Amino acid sequence: MKVLVVDDEALARERLISMLAGVPDIEITGEAATGREAIEQVAANRPDVVLLDIRMPEMDGLEAARHLAGLSEPPAVIFTTAYGDHALEAFEACAVDYLLKPIRDERLMAALANACRLNRAQAARLAGQDGPSQRSHLCVPVRGSLQLVPVTDIRYFQADNKYVTVRTGEGEFLIEEALKALEEEFGEDFIRIHRNALVARRYLSALERDAEGRLCAVLRGVDARLEVSRRQQPEVRRLLKGG
């Protein structure tokens, strides 16, 4: 069994690695200090199990677990934390177990045994569950790997059949998520301008007419102009006026 150890405290990582040293059939594939690093390590090394702290900088363990659950072959996640107030969220994020620090040897071994019994088919079914809170990043597939895109860098979402284009200042990515679900999750930061498009409120700068007379949204940082439907024009104008 390949195990990735994730904790923002080096001593906590060392303790877990020490506890696993010499355990038959356990291989430590690496360690990470943030949720973002954990996702990168999983993409690179494909561990079977991730021992994952919850409270970490940049991206916490709960968000990282929800990203990992969306993989075609997700690793089993065992949360290791000093706080007992996230258990419900942890299991909603598809955790196999929830261990409170200081972690006892027998409790860790029992959790790993449980992870062994969780087969890939079960994990795939669990991956259909959504986490309860708004994500700070989107996890997008790029050339056979995974890339984290900060939501604060996204200019717009635009739907086209089963895919949604995610446009940032650096380029475009395709994801398979419903535009309606993205609106429900990120509605405080994005505004619907058309049945097929959401734009970031922070980057919306103006409205202008195109060559065909259609009213379009102008966004800072990108050249694209997105049509604003007649139905959405009043709300978009209010936003631009600060209303």
Side-chain angles (χ1 to χ4, degrees):
M1 178 190 296
K2 296 192 295 183
V3 179
L4 172 66
V5 177
V6 185
D7 198 299
D8 63 326
E9 296 182 3
L11 288 177
R13 297 197 303 272
E14 290 175 10
R15 183 172 186 272
L16 283 171
I17 291 171
S18 176
M19 291 172 70
L20 295 173
V23 177
D25 301 320
I26 293 288
E27 174 191 351
I28 303 297
T29 64
E31 54 186 288
T34 69
R36 184 187 183 100
E37 290 178 9
I39 292 173
E40 293 170 351
Q41 290 255 12
V42 168
N45 299 320
R46 298 185 180 277
D48 301 300
V49 179
V50 179
L51 299 178
L52 185 59
D53 189 21
I54 289 182
R55 296 192 182 181
M56 296 182 292
E58 187 176 354
M59 178 190 292
D60 67 23
L62 291 169
E63 181 176 346
R66 292 195 291 272
H67 286 309
L68 295 177
L71 297 175
S72 58
E73 293 187 359
V77 171
I78 298 171
F79 282 110
T80 58
T81 178
Y83 304 94
D85 54 351
H86 293 291
L88 178 59
E89 290 177 277
F91 288 110
E92 286 176 339
C94 309
V96 173
D97 213 329
Y98 188 93
L99 307 182
L100 287 175
K101 299 175 182 176
I103 298 167
R104 294 177 288 113
D105 283 326
E106 60 271 24
R107 188 68 180 85
L108 178 59
M109 294 305 115
L112 290 170
N114 190 32
C116 282
R117 289 191 291 269
L118 184 68
N119 62 38
R120 293 302 188 184
Q122 290 173 308
R125 286 197 296 273
L126 287 173
Q129 301 178 14
D130 290 324
S133 59
Q134 180 176 313
R135 290 168 287 179
S136 62
H137 295 68
L138 293 186
C139 197
V140 300
V142 179
R143 294 185 295 277
S145 185
L146 296 173
Q147 181 169 330
L148 287 170
V149 176
V151 173
T152 53
D153 288 351
I154 297 172
R155 269 58 174 182
Y156 64 78
F157 298 106
Q158 188 170 36
D160 182 13
N161 295 320
K162 64 180 289 190
Y163 294 101
V164 169
T165 296
V166 179
R167 179 65 188 271
T168 71
E170 304 299 321
E172 295 183 351
F173 307 91
L174 291 179
I175 59 174
E176 292 188 61
E177 297 193 37
L179 194 66
K180 179 62 175 176
L182 292 168
E183 182 179 24
E184 291 174 354
E185 183 175 359
F186 301 114
E188 292 185 359
D189 299 316
F190 288 76
I191 183 172
R192 183 177 286 272
I193 64 166
H194 195 277
R195 61 181 175 80
N196 71 347
L198 304 171
V199 302
R201 296 171 185 265
R202 63 171 59 86
Y203 293 115
L204 180 63
S205 63
L207 294 173
E208 65 178 27
R209 299 279 178 184
D210 65 10
E212 298 178 4
R214 296 174 299 190
L215 194 66
C216 296
V218 179
L219 302 171
R220 291 191 298 276
V222 293
D223 294 331
R225 299 291 185 264
L226 301 182
E227 182 180 359
V228 181
S229 69
R230 289 188 178 182
R231 180 179 179 182
Q232 303 301 138
Q233 287 176 19
E235 185 175 356
V236 175
R237 291 184 189 278
R238 281 195 296 272
L239 177 61
L240 286 170
K241 290 178 181 178

